[in-house]
């Protein structure tokens, strides 16, 4: 059960010397800095004219950490961009309150370590949570998510899956129809690199 697993993890954590806890969903202030930095990199691309500033960034959301990190990056940039989280799990685990909590925890983490960042006055996170693509629940396919798998292959070279990327792309299509005047950006969280087997053999 979840409770038993959590208890065993906590018991092991207390016994270790200088352990590092990775919570469910792998969201932590330190871990989220990578997506904050990625958002700043996007800002550099927009500044040099490589692309237009998006009005809305659409991505799948489970623990909500990636959404919070992108929202923090947008706040640092001073962008009014909305981070549109396509919820792929139950609302009790994935909601605006959880995402704002990760936003504040990651901001506090940066403030403790950077006097320059501590002086920044940031706007509130601009986050919208969209649960319409969830279907029967986490890990359950929907016809729309299944149909989105092949377009994902065309984008990144590997097939999508129905839990995260498929549902997010399916909902992106709905959002594009609803908001034809907005510049939308799909933020893909599916790795294009195949996992490697044990040993030195590389999958090609």
């Amino acid at each position: 059960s979840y409770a038993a697993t959590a208890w065993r993890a906590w018991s092991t954590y207390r016994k270790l010397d200088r352990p590092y806890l990775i919570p469910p969903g792998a969201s932590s202030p330190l871990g989220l800095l990578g997506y904050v930095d990625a958002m700043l990199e996007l800002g550099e691309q927009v500044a040099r004219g490589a692309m237009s500033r998006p009005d809305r960034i659409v991505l799948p959301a489970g623990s909500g950490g990636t959404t919070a990190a992108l929202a923090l990056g947008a706040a640092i940039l001073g962008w009014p961009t909305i981070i549109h989280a396509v919820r792929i799990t139950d609302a009790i685990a994935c909601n605006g309150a959880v995402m704002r909590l990760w936003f504040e925890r990651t901001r506090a983490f940066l403030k403790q370590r950077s006097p320059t960042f501590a002086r920044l006055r940031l706007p509130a996170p601009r986050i919208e949570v969209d649960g319409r693509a969830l279907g029967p629940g986490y890990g359950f396919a929907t016809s729309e998510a299944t149909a989105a798998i092949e377009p994902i292959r065309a984008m990144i070279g590997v097939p999508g899956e129905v839990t995260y990327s498929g549902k997010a792309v399916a909902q992106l299509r709905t959002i594009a129809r609803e908001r034809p005047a907005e510049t939308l950006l799909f933020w893909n969280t599916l790795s294009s690199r195949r996992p490697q087997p044990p040993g030195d053999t590389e999958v090609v």
Side-chain angles (χ1 to χ4, degrees):
S1 69
Y2 286 117
T5 300
W7 173 251
R8 287 195 299 270
W10 176 247
S11 299
T12 303
Y13 178 85
R14 293 179 62 189
K15 297 173 184 176
L16 298 176
D17 181 39
R18 299 181 66 187
Y20 184 80
L21 178 65
I22 301 176
S27 292
S28 67
L30 179 61
L32 297 184
L33 294 186
Y35 275 108
V36 175
D37 188 60
M39 191 67 183
L40 299 182
E41 182 180 338
L42 178 66
E44 293 175 354
Q45 294 174 4
V46 170
R48 66 172 183 262
M51 62 174 293
S52 300
R53 186 184 72 189
D55 298 310
R56 186 177 299 263
I57 296 176
V58 180
L59 76 159
S63 62
T66 302
T67 302
L70 296 184
L72 180 55
I76 294 170
L77 291 168
W79 286 5
T81 300
I82 294 171
I83 312 302
H84 192 115
V86 178
R87 183 164 58 81
I88 53 80
T89 190
D90 293 338
I92 193 170
C94 181
N95 55 69
V98 169
M99 294 172 189
R100 287 189 293 272
L101 176 62
W102 282 123
F103 179 97
E104 293 299 337
R105 288 189 63 189
T106 307
R107 177 162 69 170
F109 183 89
L110 285 169
K111 287 175 68 174
Q112 291 171 1
R113 290 158 177 81
S114 171
T116 301
F117 185 85
R119 291 192 292 268
L120 292 178
R121 297 177 62 86
L122 300 181
R126 296 175 61 84
I127 294 171
E128 290 186 11
V129 183
D130 186 342
R132 293 176 292 172
L134 177 61
Y138 179 83
F140 288 92
T142 63
S143 58
E144 294 83 1
T146 301
I149 288 177
E150 282 306 309
I152 295 168
R153 184 196 298 271
M155 284 191 291
I156 65 173
V158 297
E161 39 66 52
V162 296
T163 300
Y164 290 85
S165 57
K167 290 181 180 179
V169 169
Q171 194 61 14
L172 173 68
R173 293 169 168 172
T174 299
I175 296 165
R177 291 192 296 269
E178 294 172 344
R179 302 178 178 277
E182 289 189 356
T183 298
L184 304 178
L185 172 66
F186 178 68
W187 195 289
N188 180 40
T189 59
L190 176 65
S191 175
S192 61
R193 183 172 178 82
R194 298 184 185 184
Q196 299 301 306
D200 297 328
T201 304
E202 183 174 355
V203 176
V204 293

